[in-house]
Amino acid sequence: MRAFRPLNRSLRAAFILAFVGLVISGCKPASLPDATSPAAQLYVSRCGNCHVPYPPHEMTAAMWDTQVTMMETKIQAAGMRPLTSEERASILDYLKRNAGTE
Ligand code: HEC
């Protein structure tokens, strides 16, 4: 019986770690498509500082056009650096490529 104790203890530790890991990963915001691509990172850095970056599939391509224009007003109102035309194009391209269809 004694010999099993260390095993039980490490098993219990493994279960606790697995459970904590599940809870933590379950609470993470949904990960973005192509999260490591330069366009996704630009999106997070320019569109994820006032709110979490919205998942691209939540809007259609046409809605993204409108949203980005509206957000440019917010960016300006907040006194943040405006999007350059390259940033705007790259972000919109990323959003539209991964946009929803309805
Ligand atoms: C200066 C802060 C700020 C930045 C930067 C910003 N947003 Fe927003 N965003 C807001 C606020 C505030 C709202 C809340 C809705 C409102 O007031 O219209 C919002 C709401 C949204 C919504 C939800 C609108 C809805 O109808 O539910 C989307 C989508 C969005 N932002 C996308 C973006 C995108 C894309 C970018 C990058 C181009 C961006 N945001 C950058 C402030 C910001």
Side-chain angles (χ1 to χ4, degrees):
M1 206 44 182
R2 241 191 128 127
F4 288 105
R5 262 220 182 123
L7 178 65
N8 278 343
R9 197 181 287 161
S10 55
L11 262 182
R12 195 163 60 198
F15 276 122
I16 291 172
L17 278 179
F19 180 72
V20 169
L22 268 180
V23 169
I24 290 174
S25 59
C27 291
K28 263 201 310 212
S31 59
L32 295 168
D34 297 332
T36 56
S37 69
Q41 285 173 357
L42 177 69
Y43 173 56
V44 171
S45 74
R46 295 307 320 258
C47 303
N49 29 25
C50 295
H51 44 68
V52 292
Y54 287 79
H57 69 83
E58 280 189 9
M59 308 240 162
T60 62
M63 288 160 85
W64 279 123
D65 269 323
T66 314
Q67 287 298 337
V68 170
T69 303
M70 277 170 43
M71 289 302 136
E72 285 184 300
T73 317
K74 302 240 180 257
I75 289 172
Q76 194 179 19
M80 293 165 78
R81 183 173 65 77
L83 299 178
T84 65
S85 52
E86 288 81 13
E87 284 173 332
R88 186 185 208 281
S90 172
I91 288 171
L92 262 182
D93 176 67
Y94 170 75
L95 290 170
K96 290 180 174 184
R97 216 174 338 122
N98 297 293
T101 48
E102 56 183 335

